[in-house]
Amino acid sequence: MAADRDLEMEDMNLNMDRDMKGELEEEKEMREDRGGKDPLKNKKVHRVVSKWMLPEKVRRTYLERANCLPPPVFIISISLAELAVFIYYAVWKPQKQWITLDIGILESPFIYSPEKREQAWRFISYMLVHAGVQHLVGNLIMQLVLGIPLEMVHKGLRVGLVYLAGVTAGSLASSIFDPLRYLVGASGGVYALMGGYFMNVLVNFREMIPALGIVRLLIIILIILSDMGFALYRRFFVPANGSPVSFAAHIAGGFAGMSIGYTVFSCFDQALLKDPRFWIAIAAYFACVLFAVFFNIFLSPAN
């Protein structure tokens, strides 16, 4: 009996030694992570992103598989393209459009023009051209601040789908509700990102820490009001020597975000193609697209 007890004591001591070694190894790894020796293991940035972008029930899943591969290429690439086009027209091909849109830029092959609607690429490429520094900087700040964290969580394919859905919805809505006006800027895509994020925060408000939830909603509302104010100014109070620009893209992009964007951003840990909400949103979106195409071919005053 004494021998058996001695064996049991030895087994317990061995197990305790193993547990102590395991704890020491874990502490060592945590210290290395905090020291920044292995940036791929350092989840501090991902924790902050998860608190702002995801409801509490899926944060753990995100943190378990969080990485920066691939990096947020889509939003950064789109932003660089928009900046490059602006520099081309403002610096290399001066049109005096640093602050406001000038007549010269309306000849760009990228801008949406009601007289050239048969050039279908203009329904998307207009996002590359901006009315001036204010317009460009505002869109870049909004899409980088919101788009990069969204792309870190949902990856470029989903964010690109929402962004381009907003851009396309913006130009088609403008061709219907403001058919004789030109259209420039990436506001349709930016508002789609904001619309999807806004709905996600609204639906999961209780899970996203109430105080921070209120702050997020107030920030979004403030940005929307300031940007819509500028858009309305460009539309109704443009100088006599300028050209008024449509603002319908803002509203249409927001609705695209609140439908397609919400379903995409709320399916973080689910297969998007298996979610019936996604297909309902896509069906409604394409029904609107078909109506807009029919309107532009047969009913538009621009004809």
Side-chain angles (χ1 to χ4, degrees):
M1 292 291 290
D4 291 339
R5 286 177 185 172
D6 290 340
L7 287 172
E8 287 178 4
M9 292 294 291
E10 286 178 5
D11 290 339
M12 288 176 65
N13 289 334
L14 286 171
N15 290 332
M16 288 176 68
D17 289 340
R18 286 173 187 167
D19 292 341
M20 289 293 291
K21 286 180 181 178
E23 289 177 4
L24 289 171
E25 287 177 2
E26 287 179 4
E27 286 182 8
K28 186 178 179 181
E29 288 179 1
M30 288 176 67
R31 285 174 186 170
E32 287 179 357
D33 289 346
R34 288 172 186 169
K37 292 182 180 179
D38 190 355
L40 290 177
K41 291 181 180 179
N42 192 344
K43 300 291 181 74
K44 185 176 180 180
V45 173
H46 292 292
R47 287 193 190 98
V48 174
V49 168
S50 69
K51 287 181 181 178
W52 280 88
M53 296 292 138
L54 292 169
E56 189 174 358
K57 60 186 177 183
V58 294
R59 288 177 195 164
R60 185 177 182 83
T61 305
Y62 168 71
L63 291 173
E64 286 174 355
R65 64 190 191 193
N67 58 65
C68 290
L69 297 173
V73 174
F74 175 79
I75 287 295
I76 292 174
S77 300
I78 287 291
S79 300
L80 289 175
E82 292 165 3
L83 180 61
V85 169
F86 179 79
I87 290 174
Y88 172 75
Y89 283 107
V91 179
W92 293 343
K93 195 173 181 179
Q95 305 289 351
K96 297 180 181 179
Q97 64 115 24
W98 284 99
I99 302 300
T100 56
L101 186 67
D102 189 72
I103 291 293
I105 203 173
L106 300 180
E107 300 173 0
S108 167
F110 300 120
I111 193 174
Y112 169 78
S113 172
E115 293 89 10
K116 299 178 180 179
R117 287 171 297 119
E118 70 280 359
Q119 298 174 355
W121 72 82
R122 291 177 180 264
F123 284 88
I124 295 177
S125 64
Y126 77 93
M127 70 180 181
L128 299 173
V129 186
H130 284 79
V133 173
Q134 254 184 317
H135 193 199
L136 174 73
V137 171
N139 278 344
L140 288 183
I141 290 174
M142 286 189 286
Q143 71 188 27
L144 288 171
V145 169
L146 184 58
I148 288 178
L150 281 172
E151 194 168 347
M152 288 174 65
V153 173
H154 301 284
K155 303 305 178 185
L157 186 62
R158 291 189 176 192
V159 172
L161 170 66
V162 175
Y163 189 90
L164 294 177
V167 169
T168 308
S171 56
L172 291 174
S174 180
S175 70
I176 294 173
F177 297 105
D178 216 354
L180 303 179
R181 302 301 178 189
Y182 295 91
L183 184 64
V184 294
S187 296
V190 174
Y191 272 67
L193 297 181
M194 288 196 296
Y197 178 70
F198 176 82
M199 285 297 295
N200 206 11
V201 172
L202 203 60
V203 171
N204 300 291
F205 184 80
R206 291 183 179 179
E207 299 179 23
M208 288 188 163
I209 310 173
L212 285 178
I214 293 172
V215 170
R216 294 170 198 176
L217 292 177
L218 289 176
I219 290 173
I220 293 173
I221 292 170
L222 180 63
I223 291 172
I224 291 173
L225 289 177
S226 60
D227 191 61
M228 280 297 294
F230 179 72
L232 290 170
Y233 168 78
R234 287 297 316 156
R235 173 64 179 83
F236 295 107
F237 302 99
V238 68
N241 60 343
S243 295
V245 179
S246 174
F247 68 94
H250 298 71
I251 299 171
F255 278 114
M258 286 188 285
S259 53
I260 294 178
Y262 167 65
T263 57
V264 169
F265 296 153
S266 64
C267 287
F268 167 73
D269 59 341
Q270 302 172 16
L272 184 62
L273 299 181
K274 294 181 180 179
D275 191 333
R277 296 176 305 165
F278 174 71
W279 292 111
I280 292 171
I282 289 292
Y285 182 85
F286 275 104
C288 294
V289 169
L290 290 175
F291 172 78
V293 172
F294 178 84
F295 179 89
N296 274 278
I297 294 175
F298 299 106
L299 304 175
S300 177
N303 292 337

